[in-house]
Structures are given as C-alpha cells and as structure tokens.
Amino acid sequence: MDVKELVETLHFACTAEFWRMAIFWTLSLIFSYLQLFAQSLFTQKPIPPRKTATPTTTGTRIPVCIITGATSGLGAAAAYALSREGFYVVLAGRSSHMLLKAMDDIRAQNKDALLKAFEVDLLSFQSIVKFKGSLQQWLLDSNLHSSVQLLINNAGILATSCRLTAEGYDQMMGTNYIGAFCLTQILLPLMENSPVPARIVNVTSFTHRSG
Ligand SMILES: NC(=O)c1ccc[n+]([C@@H]2O[C@H](COP(=O)([O-])OP(=O)(O)OC[C@H]3O[C@@H](n4cnc5c(N)ncnc54)[C@H](OP(=O)(O)O)[C@@H]3O)[C@@H](O)[C@H]2O)c1
C-alpha cells in the first residue's frame, strides 16, 4: 500500500459512511449469531431431505434452481440446502475442477442430490450466452420442463483495486452487477416459462452503502 492509498484509507475510516457500515455490520452479525444460537437450542434434529421425483420420470416437474458462485461459501451452502429440498441444482462457476469438487462435497452429504454443473464466467457476455444454450440443451436432453424456478445470483468478488475485463468494465462491477444483470435478462424467458411462480434471489452486501 503506497502513501496515497494509506491516506485514502484513513480518510475513508473517518467518514460517517464507514462508521454507519461498521455499526450495521456488527449489529447484524450479532443478531444473526443470536438467531442461530436460539435455533440450535430448539432444533432437535436436522430436517430430512424432501425428495419427490427422479429425473427419469417422464413429465415430472422437478424444480430447477441455478446458483452462480456455487463452488464455495454461501453458494455452496445454498446448493447443498436446495438439493435437500428436492431441487435439481445447477451449479455455475468458472472452474470445472472446483465445480466437480463442489458436487462431490454435496453428494458426500446427500447421495440422492440432483446436480448439474456448467462453466460460466460472468465477466464474459459470450460465456453467459453459451451457458444459456447449454442449459436449454440439457433441459431438453434430460426430459425436464423447459423452465427454471429459482435463480440465485450469488457470485461476487470484493476487488481491492480496479482491473478491467476483456470487455472493458471494472471487474467488480462486471461480476457483481453487469454479469448478474445479463444472466438474469438472458434467463428471463426460461423463468417466465415456469408453470409455478419463479423467483430470483440477488445476494448482496451492506458494502454498497459506502459506494
Ligand atoms: N461472505 C461474506 O461475509 C459476505 C458479505 C457480504 C456479501 N457477500 C456476498 O455474498 C456472495 C457470496 O459470498 P461468499 O463469501 O460466499 O463468496 P466466495 O466464497 O468468495 O465465493 C464467490 C463465488 O463467486 C464465484 N465467482 C467469482 N467471480 C466469478 C465470475 N466472474 N464468474 C462466475 N463466478 C464467479 C466464485 O467461483 P469460481 O472462483 O469457482 O469461479 C465463487 O464460487 C457474494 O456475492 C458476496 O459479495 C458475502
């Protein structure tokens, strides 16, 4: 960190936004931990998986969910939880190796999990378009209804400096906002085609308050 960055950091630490964010974070963390603690006191045993259908059952409507950034953190946890809820979970990430590992981890805890992985880089519009094509083909090949019930825009990065993507955007804006926006737009027809109301969940952060 050079002197200019140090001065900027110190200046930011003296702003009202920083302190507001710090207080919000701390309070919400304490609240979340208290909630988890209270839940652990009253929850006796884990909820058993709710499995209703198999992919080979012709015409069966297995709900399909797509989770971006499903190879680690919140995305991986959501993928596991939704697999237990009977969703066909589509894991989207940049690395095939990480995707395979994430699927193995889920199957180690839920051997009946219905999982599919696709490589997609949210920084590349081309990659997003390719993902949509592969997804549609897979739905067709698997005899699944041509629709998506849940999209979780979870992938995100916290960049410490500005780096440009091949398409000329700031990487953090590209991943956290533009990529998620393009993916959502391109998947909207599949979501609108859902026989039950479909849902989009955008995972975000208090940090935007300091923007
Ligand atoms: N953890 C927190 O305390 C916290 C706090 C506030 C907000 N959030 C938000 O919550 C979300 C998840 O956070 P996390 O901590 O669980 O994240 P994480 O463990 O760092 O995982 C981020 C995921 O995003 C994926 N990703 C990154 N760039 C990508 C790209 N260009 N294209 C496709 N996927 C990409 C990564 O997949 P690959 O690298 O395998 O491609 C990875 O699986 C993020 O949106 C984050 O901003 C988290």
Side-chain angles (χ1 to χ4, degrees):
M1 187 184 279
D2 62 23
V3 179
K4 190 170 165 264
E5 280 175 340
L6 185 67
V7 172
E8 277 174 8
T9 308
L10 287 174
H11 178 74
F12 178 56
C14 297
T15 59
E17 285 79 31
F18 174 81
W19 287 102
R20 195 178 57 192
M21 193 174 79
I23 291 167
F24 265 133
W25 259 355
T26 312
L27 289 179
S28 85
L29 267 181
I30 293 171
F31 180 69
S32 305
Y33 278 116
L34 284 177
Q35 261 190 326
L36 281 176
F37 178 64
Q39 272 172 20
S40 70
L41 284 183
F42 300 111
T43 309
Q44 297 300 315
K45 54 182 179 192
I47 304 161
R50 200 191 317 149
K51 285 293 310 315
T52 48
T54 66
T56 50
T57 316
T58 312
T60 307
R61 301 250 167 90
I62 302 170
V64 173
C65 73
I66 299 171
I67 308 176
T68 65
T71 51
S72 66
L74 301 176
Y80 166 65
L82 288 164
S83 78
R84 290 186 69 96
E85 290 294 315
F87 276 86
Y88 213 128
V89 182
V90 175
L91 298 93
R94 283 173 300 181
S95 143
S96 56
H97 169 74
M98 295 286 286
L99 285 165
L100 284 175
K101 186 182 174 306
M103 289 202 295
D104 285 348
D105 290 348
I106 295 173
R107 288 205 177 101
Q109 299 173 76
N110 174 14
K111 64 177 174 45
D112 297 326
L114 298 172
L115 306 170
K116 177 73 186 168
F118 288 100
E119 278 180 58
V120 58
D121 183 353
L122 293 172
L123 289 177
S124 156
F125 188 61
Q126 213 182 353
S127 172
I128 294 173
V129 173
K130 190 172 161 220
F131 167 63
K132 195 217 174 171
S134 311
L135 178 76
Q136 273 185 311
Q137 190 58 50
W138 167 72
L139 288 171
L140 200 67
D141 295 346
S142 312
N143 198 22
L144 288 164
H145 191 260
S146 181
S147 63
V148 170
Q149 282 61 55
L150 175 61
L151 166 64
I152 305 186
N153 286 314
N154 162 78
I157 56 166
L158 182 60
T160 48
S161 61
C162 177
R163 252 180 276 156
L164 294 186
T165 68
E167 285 159 14
Y169 301 110
D170 168 65
Q171 257 188 17
M172 190 156 147
M173 278 296 281
T175 311
N176 299 10
Y177 178 65
I178 301 169
F181 176 81
C182 291
L183 182 72
T184 305
Q185 283 296 311
I186 214 164
L187 292 180
L188 268 185
L190 282 176
M191 304 202 75
E192 285 167 351
N193 201 29
S194 171
V196 295
R199 179 171 292 202
I200 300 166
V201 176
N202 294 310
V203 181
T204 178
S205 160
F206 274 139
T207 311
H208 73 274
R209 288 172 191 272
S210 64

